[in-house]
């Protein structure tokens, strides 16, 4: 191998090193978080108490493909997108019973 080819390969090492660092520090953790969020959104069930991204607490009343209806107070039901759900505060009674057994 000539000296020029060797110098060219060595000049690419810092760039390759940075790509590896970005993969392990940025891409992989974001992918894991996205997978966990998708898993949480797919596990939503009627009766679960949730919090939206905007901070609204409610109980899931109905679930559709892209939206769901939240009961936030007596006789007050709002429709939000599935992606607007931030966290599950309480699981349904059925999920709690299954987890206890």
């Amino acid at each position: 191998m000539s000296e020029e080819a060797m110098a060219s390969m060595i000049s690419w090492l810092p760039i390759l090193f940075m790509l590896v660092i970005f993969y392990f520090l940025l891409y992989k953790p974001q992918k894991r978080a996205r997978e966990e969020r998708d898993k949480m959104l797919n596990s939503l069930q009627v009766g679960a108490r949730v919090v939206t991204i905007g901070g609204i607490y409610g109980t899931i009343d109905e679930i559709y493909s892209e939206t769901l209806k939240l009961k936030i107070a007596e006789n007050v039901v709002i429709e939000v997108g599935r992606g607007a759900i931030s966290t599950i505060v309480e699981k349904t009674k059925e999920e709690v019973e299954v987890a206890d057994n």
Side-chain angles (χ1 to χ4, degrees), residues 22-98:
F22 280 130
Y23 176 77
F24 285 108
L25 291 180
L26 296 176
Y27 179 73
K28 196 166 181 165
Q30 283 181 345
K31 182 179 178 186
R32 186 179 313 122
R34 185 174 49 246
E35 288 172 351
E36 288 176 10
R37 179 166 169 72
D38 289 343
K39 182 179 170 186
M40 183 268 302
L41 290 176
N42 290 330
S43 71
L44 293 175
Q45 293 184 351
V46 173
R49 187 145 170 82
V50 296
V51 180
T52 66
I53 291 174
I56 299 172
Y57 284 77
T59 304
I60 298 176
D61 200 33
E62 296 177 36
I63 299 177
Y64 303 108
S65 61
E66 295 296 319
T67 62
L68 49 92
K69 292 194 176 186
L70 284 182
K71 183 176 182 180
I72 58 173
E74 203 61 41
N75 298 323
V76 180
V77 177
I78 60 173
E79 187 171 6
V80 298
R82 274 184 109 107
I85 302 300
S86 174
T87 57
I88 299 174
V89 178
E90 291 178 15
K91 299 185 184 241
T92 62
K93 292 177 183 175
E94 296 167 358
E95 287 179 311
V96 172
E97 289 174 0
V98 169

